[in-house]
Amino acid sequence: MKIAGLASNRGRNLRHIADVAPGGAKLSVALTNREGAPIIEAAAERRIPTEVVVREEGESRASHERRILDRLSGYDVDVVCLDGYMRVLTEEFLAAAPTTLNVHPSLLPAFPGTDAHEQVLEAGVRTTGCTVHLVTEAVDDGPILTQEPVPVYADDDAASLKRRVLQEAEFTAYPRAVRWLAEGSVGIETDEDGIPRSVRVDGDTGGSFPARRFASEDRADRLRYGENPHQEAALYADPACEEASVVGAEALNPGSKGMGYNNYNDADAALGLIKEFDDPAAAVIKHTNPAGCATSDTLADAYDRALRTDAKSAFGGIVALNRRCDADTAEAIADSFKEVVVAPGYTDSALDVLTEKQNLRLLDVGPLGEGDDRFSERFVEKPIVGGRLVQERDRQSPTADDLEVVTEREPSADEIETMLFAWRTLKHVKSNGILFATGTETVGVGMGQVSRVDAVTLAAMKAEKDAEGKSAAGAVMASDAFFPFPDAIEEAADAGIEAVIQPGGSVNDEDVIAAADDHDMAMAFTGSRCFRHD
């Protein structure tokens, strides 16, 4: 798609569109009605042809517009984009020209005209933005193609607002509109004179993954620093979130230090893990990975079993509980250094114990809910440079009926129970992830390895060296993705693993199953993997 850009001054939006080429659209010519307008030099630097058509003294608008159309006729353009073009176009021009767009620095129909930013500030509104619309003979009144909001801050003046609206809104919305046109997504209805009266955008609908997303969050806190002391950081909160979270948690130890970036990140990971379980559960998290996790009849026993998986790594970690913290559990937690405890409440006696630890942060997230009510937020997001990844949360929770046993030996009922526990926990281990478990407690965790065999080796080493009163002998192994070769099974057999749960789906599944059969292992496929890459 070829674009003719009309500007009276700098043409910043036109330059941006030329640089990003939305939808493959090309700025074929930049035309101005002012001698020496900065857009001329900017276009020349980009090797874009330029045209200067100044309205002569006494010349009529119609005559001037005919000369503009004559200049543009040689470029065979598909769209005209206005950018600070300080002339009102006539119906005759619009009927003869291709589809013509303009961007206005407010959310029309509010604040039309040349002083939009001043009007915004005078009105005291808290949100402004920009509007890309089809041009008609009426000023700032054509059918709206797209808009982009921008917050108005207390210390904004017209200059700062103008700068932010340009960079945060116009640089987003104008290329979006051009891309839609280039992709053929825009339907325009015109009157008998060819003037646009309505517009429709194909695919710009809602649903789980809409074509556009607007996120509004409030800063909840300035953090002491980010991942490292030289990085600044802040916490932003989604006021609409109803799920129990560390963002909305009440801090119960006023003498402790404030939560840092890593504290929030790890506490969120810990809370996400213990929400998986109905029985009393405890998890100890370090760098968003489980150092240990367990369920039991009592919270204190669950914590003890989780801690003994790797008490060395748990030093300075995050503890999460899915029950109200009682005195027995509090005593056990206070016995070694921890950074944060996350729980849906604390007894008075537990608080008496834990608040003795001056810098231990205590977060009360409130009721977790039951079953699916624990997970009201459907999506998770990860910001990346230039954008944001959005995906559904991994809510899979296979039952015994979902497992496909593929080996000669059937797993026992106890092994199946452990498989299901291990799978729920493994979902929260960074890939490549391997987890050893017995009963409903972890034995060894191998996380974040680039080789699956290395992850098995690490889990076996942690079980042998760091687990207190536990052993890989007779344990169940869970893998977050299929085994591409039998070597990991051989490594697990050497460690004493007797049953395996994994997704299956490798071209070498038969060889992997045969290796398991050779070692009298029971193996079940889930049919789906549980990668976690962040």
Side-chain angles (χ1 to χ4, degrees), residues 146-215:
T146 189
Q147 294 179 306
E148 190 75 15
V150 169
V152 181
Y153 299 132
D155 60 351
D156 269 325
D157 57 20
S160 67
L161 197 56
K162 178 180 179 180
R163 181 173 58 254
R164 290 182 31 253
V165 168
L166 173 71
Q167 296 173 351
E168 298 176 20
E170 294 180 16
F171 280 5
T172 297
Y174 218 162
R176 177 196 296 144
V178 171
R179 185 183 74 249
W180 283 345
L181 286 167
E183 293 172 347
S185 301
V186 178
I188 301 171
E189 293 188 11
T190 62
D191 61 17
E192 58 187 12
D193 296 320
I195 304 302
R197 297 306 178 196
S198 66
V199 63
R200 148 186 74 71
V201 180
D202 294 336
D204 187 29
T205 57
S208 298
F209 298 99
R212 295 175 296 142
R213 296 178 68 245
F214 296 136

